[in-house]
Amino acid sequence: MTDRTPQEWREILANAPYPEEVKKGSRRERRRAKTRHREDVRRQTQDWVREERRRDPIRPTGALLVVVLILALGAGTRWLWPGLLGEPSATASTSASPAPTGGAEPARPAASSAPAASPSAPSSPTPTPAADLSNPDKVAEQFVRIYLTRNPPQDRTHKAVVERAAPYMARALVVNLTEHTDPAWDKLVSRGGVSTVRSVSVTPAGKDLPGDSPLRVWRQTTTAVDVDGYTKYGESTVLKLEMMTSGDGKWRITRILGV
């Protein structure tokens, strides 16, 4: 197809059909109207083409080409990379050594000097240091530090706190605390708190309780506790502890006043 000359294009435009309203008015007005009409026709044509492409995004011929391309890619993958489809490679099949014949024993790999790895055993928890029960004041201090340090999300129950402090108590007291609830624990849980001990003071119990004897003593502990929960606050907890020894030099708490 040869390019048209400017004169031929002018003749085509001059002979193009236009609506009657475009042919009215002065020459300048007709020229402007024809220009607007051609722009409208071009815009309408573009909209029509766009709509047709949206309704029919792919022709049968194009769809056929896509199907053929997919089949060709599948065949090529099967031949070039059979392992991708879970099939044994032809090269691997041909390179396998033939089975021994004539009763010849196949070569065995040399025994490894390293022993076979055994399943890893679960690591044992770190042993808790033995409680020092030789001094009643020390027993009282260590007991309240452990017993008043509480983390309900981790401990789950008051029983876990009692068991943690059990080495400093007589067996009967451990059972008693385990079977009864502690209002201070319930209060801590309701406030979403975790308590830590800041300081502990140990003093004689006072004149309202019996004095010390070789087998029994009373001590008063004043503990500063910090609580971190829905709100942060501090509190002071006062406990009076009875401690007894069986004569072996080991003191254990037998009764608690204030819990």
Side-chain angles (χ1 to χ4, degrees):
M1 179 178 180
T2 59
D3 294 337
R4 298 181 184 272
T5 63
Q7 181 61 31
E8 290 175 340
W9 282 114
R10 283 194 291 270
E11 292 178 357
I12 292 174
L13 293 176
N15 297 327
Y18 293 99
E20 291 297 329
E21 58 270 16
V22 175
K23 300 178 181 179
K24 299 178 181 180
S26 63
R27 183 176 180 181
R28 178 177 297 178
E29 292 175 348
R30 291 197 303 273
R31 186 182 303 112
R32 291 179 178 176
K34 290 180 180 180
T35 301
R36 288 195 300 270
H37 176 72
R38 288 194 297 269
E39 291 177 353
D40 291 342
V41 171
R42 181 169 60 254
R43 185 171 55 256
Q44 292 174 3
T45 302
Q46 291 175 349
D47 293 342
W48 179 85
V49 171
R50 189 179 301 110
E51 181 65 18
E52 288 299 315
R53 288 178 177 175
R54 185 186 67 80
R55 293 180 179 179
D56 189 13
I58 184 169
R59 299 290 181 180
T61 304
L64 180 60
L65 291 176
V66 172
V67 172
V68 172
L69 180 60
I70 293 175
L71 293 177
L73 288 175
T77 303
R78 184 185 183 91
W79 182 70
L80 294 175
W81 198 359
L84 184 65
L85 302 178
E87 299 179 0
S89 171
T91 305
S93 300
T94 57
S95 61
S97 59
T101 59
E105 183 178 358
R108 297 178 180 177
S112 174
S113 59
S118 59
S120 58
S123 58
S124 58
T126 303
T128 304
D132 182 4
L133 306 176
S134 60
N135 183 282
D137 290 355
K138 189 68 173 179
V139 170
E141 178 188 356
Q142 291 302 315
F143 167 75
V144 295
R145 282 188 180 277
I146 296 174
Y147 186 64
L148 297 180
T149 299
R150 301 174 173 183
N151 187 340
Q154 180 177 339
D155 294 335
R156 301 294 183 182
T157 63
H158 173 244
K159 180 180 178 181
V161 181
V162 175
E163 292 177 348
R164 197 158 54 237
Y168 297 91
M169 293 185 286
R171 180 60 187 169
L173 181 59
V174 173
V175 174
N176 183 277
L177 292 179
T178 302
E179 293 178 350
H180 295 81
T181 60
D182 181 8
W185 169 271
D186 297 337
K187 174 184 174 182
L188 187 66
V189 172
S190 66
R191 297 185 176 182
V194 174
S195 64
T196 56
V197 174
R198 185 170 67 252
S199 63
V200 179
S201 173
V202 181
T203 60
K207 297 181 180 181
D208 56 333
L209 293 172
D212 293 353
S213 71
L215 299 179
R216 183 180 68 178
V217 300
W218 283 88
R219 293 292 183 267
Q220 176 175 295
T221 60
T222 303
T223 308
V225 179
D226 292 330
V227 179
D228 186 0
Y230 301 140
T231 58
K232 293 184 178 181
Y233 61 93
E235 58 185 8
S236 179
T237 302
V238 178
L239 300 177
K240 294 183 179 181
L241 311 177
E242 179 192 53
M243 287 173 284
M244 298 185 67
T245 179
S246 59
D248 58 355
K250 294 181 179 180
W251 294 85
R252 287 183 173 86
I253 300 169
T254 54
R255 193 169 15 159
I256 303 176
L257 302 181
V259 174

